Amino acid sequence: MQRSADRASVMPGSRPTVAITGATGFIGRAVVRAFAANGAWDVRALVRQDAPDLTGEVTAAGFNLSAGHAAVSSHVVGDLREPSDLPRALTGVDVLVHAAARAHVLSNTAGDPDAAFHAANVQASVSLAEAARAVGVRRLIFLSSIGVHGDATARDTAITEQSPFSPLTAYTRSKLAAERALEALANETGIELIVLRLPLVYGASDRANGSDVPGNLARLIAAVARGVPLPVAAIDNRRTLLDRAHLADAVVRCAEAREGHPITNRAFVIADAEDVSTPGLVRAIGEGLGRPSRSWPLSPTLLRTGLAFVGRAAIARQLTGSLRVDPSAFVAAVDWKPQRAPLAAIAAATATCRKG
């Protein structure tokens, strides 16, 4: 990928420090690796007491935690809503990437889902930002969701930063509320805020059985792996996804941008450069798994009706509907352009989900 000419200014002989929440998650691990590979940053992973061992995660990806060019340290934090846990972990940090969130809850057992998502995604984000500013963190990069704009577009239109808000789930309502709370805090305190709104993120699994792949994508991969005939051949839709490697590169670009760069104190939608269709996605998954994908034509209207009847209307919209994203504003702001074609990247990523 092309590199941005606008980088954070650093004192001679020193390196800036980036801290990453959610560092052991599907997205967080990729962000940690991207900063470690960059070599210009000291990387601080913020993890829970019960989080998986980050040393194994990063070392397995080819980065030695003690290597001078890729210094990665791990700081244990408790509840992100508890301010007393945070100052020590954030002292000396220049840029904070907030990737931790309550998300992809496929079977929500919370008595009040909105309250549960608000506590994890709004209260925790505000507490984190307040602690960050108190100890001198200058920039916060917040990973939000394209779902704040809704879960569908017309086939020939795309979501931009100017699209109206229309969050439809407890998760996306909490992400929009977090954005607004962080924007107010940034205006009050002066901390630089960059918000990235993400569509479905895919990428190579870090586990042999693919168990870390998030959300409904994992269900689709499992169905193809089992040889389940899927009624998707008649679907003609367009969806924009986001390669995990492209996302990690975008986050590094945001951290590198000089102080006061036009990218700061803004929200951006980001995505791959090309759209995919559901049938194309299924074929790419089959290619990656090394087995034929079995699909057959069923009227999308009948498919939506049948899934809605069994309480799966949201899945029906994802399978049959379009959700296109136009990342041109972010591309122009940081000279960022995803290089890998999504279907080939999806096939390559899914190949890591084969059970060995």
Side-chain angles (χ1 to χ4, degrees):
M1 293 186 182
Q2 302 171 19
R3 303 305 301 169
S4 170
D6 293 314
R7 296 175 179 268
S9 58
V10 184
M11 293 296 292
S14 68
R15 296 194 301 185
T17 296
V18 59
I20 302 155
T21 71
T24 57
F26 183 72
I27 290 174
R29 288 194 301 273
V31 174
V32 168
R33 286 194 290 260
F35 276 105
N38 179 277
W41 294 81
D42 287 325
V43 184
R44 187 177 301 179
L46 305 186
V47 301
R48 301 186 314 272
Q49 186 68 53
D50 59 345
D53 177 44
L54 186 68
T55 301
E57 299 282 1
V58 178
T59 304
F63 299 108
N64 187 328
L65 295 184
S66 62
H69 74 284
V72 179
S73 60
S74 178
H75 286 241
V76 173
V77 295
D79 191 336
L80 289 180
R81 292 168 291 175
E82 177 48 60
S84 64
D85 288 338
L86 300 174
R88 178 183 59 85
L90 294 173
T91 297
V93 169
D94 299 282
V95 176
L96 172 61
V97 180
H98 187 24
R102 175 183 170 88
H104 301 300
V105 182
L106 298 181
S107 180
N108 199 338
T109 59
D112 185 345
D114 278 281
F117 277 105
H118 189 275
N121 295 344
V122 183
Q123 292 176 232
S125 297
V126 170
S127 294
L128 182 70
E130 288 175 339
R133 185 55 187 166
V135 296
V137 175
R138 63 177 177 81
R139 180 172 298 166
L140 170 62
I141 302 168
F142 178 63
L143 303 189
S144 187
S145 169
I146 202 68
V148 302
H149 294 292
D151 67 354
T153 63
R155 192 178 182 278
D156 58 350
T157 62
I159 290 172
T160 70
E161 293 79 7
Q162 286 70 48
S163 297
F165 293 121
S166 181
L168 300 176
T169 67
Y171 168 66
T172 55
R173 286 191 291 272
S174 72
K175 295 301 272 188
L176 180 56
E179 284 191 30
R180 288 170 167 165
L182 292 176
E183 181 181 2
L185 188 145
N187 289 336
E188 178 183 341
T189 66
I191 191 171
E192 292 184 332
L193 175 66
I194 301 173
V195 174
L196 301 180
R197 297 175 182 148
L198 318 179
L200 176 67
V201 176
Y202 66 90
S205 173
D206 294 315
R207 298 171 188 164
N209 63 359
S211 61
D212 60 334
V213 177
N216 288 315
L217 181 59
R219 287 179 167 178
L220 193 58
I221 292 172
V224 175
R226 294 196 305 269
V228 175
L230 298 171
V232 300
I235 295 172
D236 183 21
N237 64 344
R238 294 291 180 269
R239 299 189 73 86
T240 319
L241 311 182
L242 180 58
D243 187 331
R244 185 170 65 155
H246 293 159
L247 168 58
D249 180 72
V251 172
V252 174
R253 301 288 186 102
C254 290
E256 289 178 333
R258 68 180 185 275
E259 186 174 355
H261 186 282
I263 197 176
T264 60
N265 299 313
R266 292 178 64 185
F268 292 92
V269 301
I270 65 169
D272 285 345
E274 301 174 20
D275 303 326
V276 302
S277 67
T278 297
L281 176 60
V282 169
R283 287 193 297 271
I285 289 171
E287 179 183 339
L289 293 174
R291 61 178 305 152
S293 57
R294 300 177 179 179
S295 62
W296 54 281
L298 176 68
S299 162
T301 299
L302 289 178
L303 180 57
R304 285 191 294 269
T305 301
L307 287 173
F309 182 76
V310 295
R312 295 291 186 267
I315 293 177
R317 289 194 298 271
Q318 292 173 9
L319 285 175
T320 65
S322 293
L323 179 61
R324 299 183 61 237
V325 181
D326 177 4
S328 57
F330 185 76
V331 169
V334 295
D335 192 24
W336 174 82
K337 184 174 177 58
Q339 298 296 311
R340 301 201 298 175
L343 289 180
I346 288 166
T350 308
T352 64
C353 298
R354 299 188 192 189
K355 294 184 178 180

